Amino acid sequence: MIRVNEHFSALQPSYLFSDISKRVAAFQAAHPEREIIRLGIGDVTQPLPAACVKAFRAAVDEMGRAETFRGYPPYEGLDFLREKIAEHDFGARGIRIGADEIFISDGAKSDTANIQELFAPNIRVAVPDPVYPVYVDSQVMAGRGGAPQDGRYAELVYLESTKENGFVPAPPNESVDLIYLCFPNNPTGAVATKAELRAWVHYAHERKALILFDAAYEAFIRDPELPRSIYEIPGATEVAIECRSFSKTAGFTGTRCAYAVIPHTCMAYNSSGSQEALNPLWYRRQSTKFNGVSYPVQRAAEAVYTPEGQSQVRRINDYYLRNAELIRREMTALGFSVSGGEHSPYLWVDVKMDSWSFFDLLLTRAGVVCTPGSGFGRCGQGFVRISSFNDFENTERAMQRVRQALEKK
Ligand code: MLT
């Protein structure tokens, strides 16, 4: 008898962003005359940088000629891209990461969801609250969540990110084995300092734990004192995997390209207590379950590292940061306390009412979509996340409508 994986029944009935898009679609169907502005899901609107488009086209042409056609790409990614990443994203910042420690993938979402497969079923996992739902759901699917209880899971350890700790939780007193950290944070927009990350790296060494560091939004950091990689912290290459993405940085949400860094020194323990390197284990997993990112997409990603690519990407990220600044100013002027949006595309707004009620209010009165904070966890209740990924004109119009809607309230 074919049986289902019953861990799925412990999940929330639907994935946060699909729930939101269904609600928005229902509202739109009932009010076809209303124009909706989406500041909900973090999906980019600016086109691919010109340098990427040029490289993409040239690579597609290569694929169309017998002499330059290529079949399966290597599971771990093509060397030209891995070398550029090692040199520009790490070497240029004084961090030694080799090209062979980088695995190209189709998204940080897949990597952060899949890497847990390398670990024993009974490890203890810590997740932030609020949290990018993928970290939690992938653990629940793998059976590590335990019983659902009031919107949480009994077996997970929640790292509460609150106004009081500036949305950067400190390591817990208890021991955990795998820790998800995300900075700049999705959803709160908070950025950890080097001292804060140092405390985590120290904890991981002391407790023989591993950090899964999601740095998908690092390109939005403007303060040179703030760490863009966990590997800026001495000792991190032994206890941390880092995931990055071209999605938000270079407009690749629809093109798909990302990478995970698994340093050779990064270890986990087997049942006899000896260390095993995670890099070959991930290669083993990827070569079984993943057939690589297409050649044209990897060429397009490589073009991010050309001088033109770098300045185009910078311009795109500055564009979204300008939106973020506008949202921050407007929401603050309306009397809300707002965090994030300075080194991050997300703004975390304390709306002092139920998150979904505020979501409904904004949708029905202003035709603006945000993301209810409670969808990211218990500590998100009373907050909403506003995304700056949209056109500047739309962001201006959205803020104007929000102002009118809330002034009428
Ligand atoms: C978000 O809105 O949180 C992101 O777009 C989700 C994602 O990157 O998967």
Side-chain angles (χ1 to χ4, degrees):
M1 180 173 61
I2 179 70
R3 303 250 328 258
V4 294
N5 173 354
E6 288 183 18
H7 298 307
F8 275 65
S9 64
L11 293 168
Q12 301 286 336
S14 66
Y15 182 62
L16 175 62
F17 293 105
S18 77
D19 194 10
I20 292 171
S21 71
K22 277 187 203 139
R23 287 185 189 225
V24 174
F27 178 78
Q28 184 76 89
H31 304 277
E33 75 295 350
R34 298 282 300 274
E35 186 231 6
I36 293 170
I37 303 177
R38 289 174 167 76
L39 304 179
I41 192 164
D43 195 4
V44 295
T45 58
Q46 291 294 294
L48 289 176
C52 299
V53 174
K54 190 169 156 211
F56 210 164
R57 282 212 177 100
V60 170
D61 285 343
E62 280 183 61
M63 294 294 276
R65 286 193 300 270
E67 321 81 78
T68 46
F69 172 78
R70 295 169 181 241
Y72 290 128
Y75 309 112
E76 69 278 24
L78 285 149
D79 284 343
F80 60 76
L81 178 56
R82 300 167 85 207
E83 280 159 13
K84 293 286 184 336
I85 291 169
E87 179 190 336
H88 290 265
D89 288 350
F90 299 101
R93 294 170 199 278
I95 303 166
R96 283 169 63 124
I97 292 290
D100 58 355
E101 296 175 303
I102 292 162
F103 293 83
I104 309 298
S105 76
D106 66 337
K109 180 178 189 172
S110 344
D111 286 342
T112 54
N114 292 332
I115 285 173
Q116 49 80 24
E117 288 181 20
L118 302 189
F119 309 112
N122 56 350
I123 56 163
R124 197 148 170 79
V125 180
V127 293
D129 180 358
V131 62
Y132 178 41
V134 172
Y135 310 158
V136 171
D137 288 2
S138 55
Q139 291 293 348
V140 171
M141 288 173 186
R144 296 197 190 94
Q149 280 171 2
D150 305 327
R152 283 190 169 178
Y153 293 94
E155 301 297 326
L156 298 182
V157 172
Y158 289 86
L159 308 167
E160 300 201 339
S161 312
T162 59
K163 260 192 192 172
E164 290 65 43
N165 59 22
F167 305 104
V168 181
N173 292 327
E174 65 196 291
S175 278
V176 295
D177 306 308
L178 177 65
I179 304 137
Y180 289 83
L181 294 180
C182 172
F183 294 109
N185 187 261
N186 179 11
T188 67
V191 189
T193 61
K194 283 189 187 149
E196 285 161 338
L197 289 189
R198 223 176 282 129
W200 277 106
V201 169
H202 178 75
Y203 173 93
H205 272 279
E206 214 174 40
R207 313 288 177 119
K208 298 183 172 169
L210 185 91
I211 298 168
L212 187 48
F213 191 76
D214 184 350
Y217 299 94
E218 56 76 35
F220 294 91
I221 294 180
R222 289 292 174 267
D223 181 347
E225 289 305 308
L226 290 169
R228 290 175 66 161
S229 166
I230 193 151
Y231 303 126
E232 289 180 42
I233 310 302
T237 50
E238 287 134 46
V239 292
I241 290 175
E242 182 163 302
C243 295
R244 292 211 187 176
S245 171
F246 294 95
S247 282
K248 315 295 157 103
T249 311
F252 273 56
T253 53
T255 306
R256 313 305 305 152
C257 197
Y259 64 89
V261 183
I262 310 193
H264 294 304
T265 45
C266 193
M267 304 283 165
Y269 296 82
N270 61 26
S271 52
S272 37
S274 4
Q275 289 191 320
E276 273 193 41
L278 293 172
N279 181 299
L281 228 54
W282 185 240
Y283 178 81
R284 184 68 187 83
R285 188 270 176 203
Q286 289 295 78
S287 51
T288 299
K289 296 197 177 182
F290 183 61
N291 252 342
V293 173
S294 81
Y295 172 68
V297 168
Q298 294 196 58
R299 279 293 185 203
E302 182 195 21
V304 163
Y305 299 102
T306 59
E308 316 80 78
Q310 289 286 284
S311 70
Q312 290 160 5
V313 158
R314 171 89 186 188
R315 215 174 311 129
I316 294 175
N317 294 331
D318 283 347
Y319 180 91
Y320 295 126
L321 284 173
R322 181 171 164 235
N323 292 350
E325 193 187 320
L326 171 72
I327 299 168
R328 197 179 158 87
R329 203 172 48 238
E330 291 287 333
M331 295 307 283
T332 307
L334 283 165
F336 295 103
S337 137
V338 182
S339 357
E342 281 173 320
H343 303 285
S344 149
Y346 295 130
L347 296 103
W348 191 237
V349 185
D350 182 352
V351 292
K352 300 209 177 333
M353 64 189 276
D354 172 71
S355 302
W356 279 106
S357 306
F358 192 84
F359 167 89
D360 284 334
L361 188 137
L362 237 52
L363 179 61
T364 54
R365 297 219 189 147
V368 171
V369 181
C370 63
T371 308
S374 55
F376 296 102
R378 190 184 289 172
C379 294
Q381 178 55 279
F383 290 83
V384 298
R385 188 193 77 175
I386 304 184
S387 157
S388 66
F389 290 118
N390 209 314
D391 298 339
F392 185 70
E393 297 67 31
N394 279 344
T395 311
E396 269 185 321
R397 284 191 309 125
M399 285 301 114
Q400 215 166 37
R401 291 198 212 161
V402 169
R403 201 182 321 124
Q404 283 162 357
L406 295 179
E407 279 168 358
K408 264 196 268 159
K409 188 162 82 97

